[in-house]
Amino acid sequence: DSPWMFLAFCFEWKKYLLEGNSFKSHLPVAFDGSCSGLQHFSAMLRDKIGGTAVNLVPQAQVADIYKMVAEKVEELCNIDLKEGTDDENAEWVNPSTGEVRHYIKYGTRSLAYDWLQYGITRKVTKRSVMTLAYGSKEYGFSEQVYEDIIMPAMDKNPDAFRSPVQASKYMAKLIWKAVQSV
């Protein structure tokens, strides 16, 4: 998919075939980091905990910060499922028209249940964790979860979440809390 890069490789390969193992290539090597924004912060701050979570510190097993945050979020959901708040009737008044709208404000028990049924994977937390280093916070997390996770889920199953907006805000709060502890 990159014809100029392939051509550069061909020239390097030809030189290698002529010179053998003494040939030194000058092609750049691209590689992906583990949540590079957090890697940079952890390196600058010499943060051993963050550095370990984003693979800057040598360790026997590769760390996956997105999975670590997802596991913490799942733990928090399980706590809310047992000890969380109940649903309640609420109303919203349109400030322009004065019109009153009644709705159910889902408690953390219901929202946790929906998320646990959906499944809390690293994909749920990835974009929020990745953009944290670039200034994203809870509000941005909510929008990201809504766009990346909830809307595609609702397209497949309209009953996936009782309230997509409330579900995204709930998950954003949990990701924010989890990422700070991880």
Side-chain angles (χ1 to χ4, degrees):
D1 67 346
S2 301
W4 294 111
M5 287 174 68
F6 181 72
L7 181 60
F9 159 77
C10 291
F11 290 134
E12 294 281 299
W13 184 248
K14 181 182 177 187
K15 288 180 188 176
Y16 168 74
L17 293 176
L18 293 171
E19 297 177 28
N21 287 340
S22 64
F23 171 73
K24 290 186 181 173
S25 175
H26 293 87
L27 286 177
V29 177
F31 62 93
D32 192 12
S34 299
C35 196
S36 59
L38 289 179
Q39 278 184 324
H40 292 298
F41 274 141
S42 295
M44 287 186 292
L45 298 170
R46 299 195 187 278
D47 174 13
K48 188 171 182 171
I49 295 169
T52 301
V54 293
N55 298 299
L56 290 178
V57 176
Q59 51 197 325
Q61 204 168 9
V62 176
D64 182 350
I65 191 163
Y66 310 121
K67 186 177 180 199
M68 294 164 69
V69 172
E71 288 169 351
K72 182 66 177 176
V73 167
E74 186 171 3
E75 182 184 309
L76 294 170
C77 270
N78 279 310
I79 291 169
D80 277 346
L81 187 63
K82 292 176 187 161
E83 303 169 11
T85 60
D86 294 323
D87 301 344
E88 58 185 60
N89 291 318
E91 62 180 44
W92 176 78
V93 179
N94 184 325
S96 302
T97 64
E99 176 189 355
V100 177
R101 187 180 134 235
H102 296 276
Y103 69 98
I104 297 173
K105 181 179 179 203
Y106 291 102
T108 56
R109 285 184 188 173
S110 295
L111 296 167
Y113 178 84
D114 287 353
W115 276 107
L116 290 167
Q117 290 299 303
Y118 175 78
I120 302 164
T121 63
R122 69 189 299 278
K123 183 179 180 185
V124 172
T125 63
K126 184 175 181 178
R127 186 170 168 207
S128 299
V129 174
M130 200 177 348
T131 58
L132 175 70
Y134 305 101
S136 187
K137 297 205 176 359
E138 192 177 317
Y139 179 82
F141 291 1
S142 177
E143 288 182 344
Q144 294 165 353
V145 168
Y146 186 83
E147 291 171 12
D148 298 350
I149 307 300
I150 292 180
M151 290 317 298
M154 299 293 287
D155 288 343
K156 290 179 187 172
N157 174 10
D159 297 325
F161 294 95
R162 299 160 209 243
S163 169
V165 171
Q166 289 180 49
S168 66
K169 288 179 179 179
Y170 172 73
M171 180 51 59
K173 260 187 200 348
L174 293 186
I175 294 172
W176 182 253
K177 187 174 181 178
V179 79
Q180 291 177 35
S181 71
V182 170

